[in-house]
Amino acid sequence: MLGKLMKYEWKNIWKAGTLMLLGMLVVTVIGCVVLRMPGGLVTEIADGNNMNATQSWFVLSSFVATLILYVIMLLASTWGMLIFLGIRFYRSMYTDEGYLSHTLPVTANQLFLSKVLVSGVWYLFITIGIGISVVALIVSLMTGLLNIGELSSVLTQYNGNIWEFLADAFYELGRTYEEEMGINLSHYVITLLLTYVAGPFITMVTLFGALTIGQLSSKHKGLMGILAYAGLTILSSIIGSTVQSAFMFGTNVMSSSGGFSVTTNMAYDINVITSLLIAAIMYGVSYYIMNRKLNLD
């Protein structure tokens, strides 16, 4: 039955998710075309002395407009999808539509889990799309910069292979980061990737849990759900930052006294575990409310 619930949920979400991904693709392509290669926007700005005032103003305006459009796209994709998924969950669970949902021959766990899994997958798609988009813009920007004047000699050393240059640049950056911060880079990357994948599902559990808590209110249930989510997000950030700072500080203190050394990697791991624990608590709270405290009045 869980599979049928997920299939139904997918049908109600895929159009909105696909439109957001297509919008992201269009804006990314525009940004790449504007920024990349000699003669492009970056080159024109760098060689601004060769342009008259009108050309210079037009080029700079185009650059600013592209940047603003791209930032708006990022915000619209992340927050827009989050708002859409939140509204979709609330309507299907705690409005008139919710009566039908809760009369289905399924458990509360299956109902909640189907929405978390499908919504989490689509939010993951959006997150991956943003990551690819940012990489594409960075490559386009670097390609434009490395074809300007003296900087072009840098790319010549790599036979024009921008990917080889970026690989070496990130390797050196990672090595410096590892030496300065005392971080096991491989461990950090694996943790980061796992967090990247699990993050959307954690977000969905937290959001849906907050909306579930909000429906306990006799009035303004939606508003109370939003406030609960804001409070949980702030609380999670405070707890994570506090734990991370405490353990990073403990690394220096304990290692200097010859005691147990808490590595920076462990601090990040504990931060991730904190988020997982909050999500697990919210899942349990949601399950309890849907089974014992459901209020659809």
Side-chain angles (χ1 to χ4, degrees), residues 272-294:
V272 173
I273 293 172
T274 301
S275 299
L276 290 173
L277 286 175
I278 291 177
I281 292 172
M282 292 307 301
Y283 193 98
V285 169
S286 301
Y287 179 80
Y288 175 79
I289 291 175
M290 287 191 293
N291 276 284
R292 304 292 182 86
K293 301 289 185 179
L294 189 62

Side-chain angles (χ1 to χ4, degrees), residues 53-118:
T54 301
Q55 289 175 320
S56 178
W57 178 87
F58 175 77
V59 170
L60 184 59
S61 298
S62 300
F63 180 81
V64 172
T66 301
L67 181 61
I68 292 175
L69 182 63
Y70 187 71
V71 172
I72 291 175
M73 180 273 296
L74 291 181
L75 294 175
S77 297
T78 52
W79 285 100
M81 194 63 180
L82 191 68
I83 293 171
F84 169 78
L85 293 173
I87 293 174
R88 165 66 195 160
F89 173 82
Y90 183 78
R91 285 181 176 176
S92 64
M93 293 290 283
Y94 305 122
T95 61
D96 292 341
E97 188 180 342
Y99 283 98
L100 178 61
S101 298
H102 290 286
T103 56
L104 294 173
V106 295
T107 64
N109 182 58
Q110 289 176 324
L111 198 59
F112 189 79
L113 186 60
S114 66
K115 296 183 180 299
V116 168
L117 291 176
V118 175

Side-chain angles (χ1 to χ4, degrees), residues 10 17 21 43 76 155 175 177 193 230:
W10 186 275
L21 288 174
T43 307
L155 195 58
R175 187 172 61 83
Y177 192 64
L193 289 175

Side-chain angles (χ1 to χ4, degrees), residues 145-208:
L145 289 174
L146 292 173
N147 280 283
I148 298 173
E150 297 180 358
L151 291 176
S152 61
S153 61
V154 176
L155 195 58
T156 302
Q157 300 174 11
Y158 293 88
N159 297 318
N161 190 333
I162 184 67
W163 294 104
E164 185 178 348
F165 166 76
L166 289 175
D168 283 354
F170 281 112
Y171 172 79
E172 290 298 326
L173 180 63
R175 187 172 61 83
T176 302
Y177 192 64
E178 187 171 5
E179 292 176 353
E180 294 293 330
M181 300 291 293
I183 293 176
N184 184 318
L185 197 58
S186 298
H187 181 102
Y188 177 73
V189 169
I190 292 174
T191 303
L192 187 64
L193 289 175
L194 291 175
T195 304
Y196 195 82
V197 173
F201 298 95
I202 293 174
T203 299
M204 290 302 107
V205 172
T206 305
L207 174 62
F208 295 167

Side-chain angles (χ1 to χ4, degrees), residues 35-44 140 143-148:
L35 293 177
R36 75 179 283 123
M37 296 303 178
L41 184 56
V42 174
T43 307
E44 293 297 331
S140 297
T143 301
L145 289 174
L146 292 173
N147 280 283
I148 298 173

